[in-house]
Amino acid sequence: MIFKILKFLIHNFFLLAGGLVDKFGRRNMIIFNACVFVIGALMISGTSTFFIFLLGRFTLGFAVALSAIAECIYISELSIPAKRGMLVSFNELAITIGILMAFLVNYILADVPGGWRVMFSLSIGIAIIQVSIKAELLQLNRSQFSSLGIFVSK
């Protein structure tokens, strides 16, 4: 029964996430997503039960998937057509560099007792920085972005 529920949730997640992004807006969902990431990382790093650990992992998975949807749409909507591919590619490059950094931190913490808790605790700080930076950057309007020469001004 639980596997049927999980299968249903996984298959219908993208419809749910896309609807949330459309309903609440890209800016708001990007900031909300960073907050969800903080909650998931807190759940994982502070838990002593397997159930809360799994719930935290599910929460982080939700945040990562929501981020993939909302940020690419936001970038493509703001950018001029000539620069759109480059900007979305930079987003993907940043994600790849983040994955590499996570692997390096995991390698460094592999022999540390409770190193996995330290790793997820570090991600809390990064997510809080993301929330504060994104909240400030996302308040800029199109005309302020257009001064950079890569975004559309309407």
Side-chain angles (χ1 to χ4, degrees):
M1 177 68 174
I2 189 78
F3 292 113
K4 288 183 180 182
I5 294 171
L6 287 174
K7 184 178 176 182
F8 174 79
L9 289 174
I10 290 168
H11 285 117
N12 293 302
F13 170 73
F14 290 105
L15 295 175
L16 171 69
L20 290 174
V21 170
D22 286 340
K23 183 174 182 176
F24 296 108
R26 283 82 168 127
R27 292 179 184 192
N28 295 333
M29 289 310 293
I30 290 171
I31 294 170
F32 171 75
N33 177 51
C35 294
V36 170
F37 196 89
V38 170
I39 292 167
L42 280 170
M43 290 170 70
I44 290 174
S45 64
T47 188
S48 59
T49 65
F50 186 64
F51 177 75
I52 299 297
F53 179 81
L54 288 179
L55 191 60
R57 290 294 291 167
F58 180 76
T59 304
L60 285 177
F62 179 79
V64 168
L66 186 61
S67 173
I69 294 169
E71 290 172 1
C72 284
I73 293 172
Y74 188 71
I75 291 169
S76 66
E77 286 179 348
L78 283 180
S79 60
I80 60 174
K83 303 288 184 179
R84 188 170 296 147
M86 176 190 68
L87 292 173
V88 173
S89 295
F90 280 151
N91 182 45
E92 295 301 319
L93 177 64
I95 291 169
T96 305
I97 291 170
I99 292 169
L100 174 64
M101 290 174 56
F103 276 115
L104 292 174
V105 170
N106 286 339
Y107 180 75
I108 292 168
L109 296 174
D111 295 328
V112 175
W116 64 274
R117 288 186 190 272
V118 175
M119 181 195 62
F120 282 109
S121 297
L122 290 172
S123 69
I124 295 168
I126 293 169
I128 290 172
I129 291 169
Q130 277 184 318
V131 169
S132 59
I133 290 173
K134 287 179 181 179
E136 188 66 31
L137 282 178
L138 294 176
Q139 298 309 315
L140 299 176
N141 60 31
R142 285 181 185 260
S143 63
Q144 291 165 319
F145 274 126
S146 67
S147 65
L148 300 173
I150 54 176
F151 294 103
V152 175
S153 175
K154 286 187 177 180

